[in-house]
Amino acid sequence: EINIATGTEVSMGDTLATIARLMDADVDYVVDPERLRPSKSEVRRLLGDSTKLRELTGWKPQFPLEEGLRQTISWFTDKDNLKMYKSDIYNQ
């Protein structure tokens, strides 16, 4: 088992706030109670460790999160790219 991760953690709220800032958008963070981690869950945080992958391959993240989000936003806001996006396949 090999994790591909940055070794840093970020909350969904912080991720949304970053995307909203990069897109200059006003958004609300809505929590679905059905999707919350159970209070008695043994998992409190999700933080991937890619040490094994780095040791085996030399891999490291190419971009910090904000730059990756910036490039993703740029791709999805280009109408020519959206023509190639297959939402019927990726959103199942």
Side-chain angles (χ1 to χ4, degrees):
E1 183 176 299
I2 298 176
N3 292 318
I4 301 173
T6 62
T8 59
E9 64 183 321
V10 61
S11 72
M12 293 304 295
D14 288 345
T15 302
L16 176 63
T18 301
I19 294 168
R21 180 175 49 77
L22 292 173
M23 296 186 75
D24 193 27
D26 184 25
V27 298
D28 292 318
Y29 184 67
V30 178
V31 176
D32 180 351
E34 296 289 320
R35 307 250 350 206
L36 290 176
R37 189 171 312 285
S39 61
K40 295 183 180 184
S41 173
E42 61 205 35
V43 177
R44 296 284 177 228
R45 296 166 52 198
L46 299 175
L47 175 61
D49 179 0
S50 61
T51 300
K52 186 175 183 181
L53 177 65
R54 288 193 314 272
E55 289 173 351
L56 292 172
T57 68
W59 177 88
K60 63 180 182 177
Q62 188 174 359
F63 303 104
L65 177 63
E66 186 164 322
E67 181 56 27
L69 290 172
R70 186 176 282 112
Q71 289 190 26
T72 301
I73 291 165
S74 177
W75 193 94
F76 274 97
T77 54
D78 181 328
K79 64 182 178 188
D80 291 329
N81 288 334
L82 286 179
K83 291 177 190 174
M84 297 181 294
Y85 187 68
K86 298 175 177 78
S87 62
D88 58 320
I89 294 173
Y90 300 130
N91 293 326
Q92 293 184 11

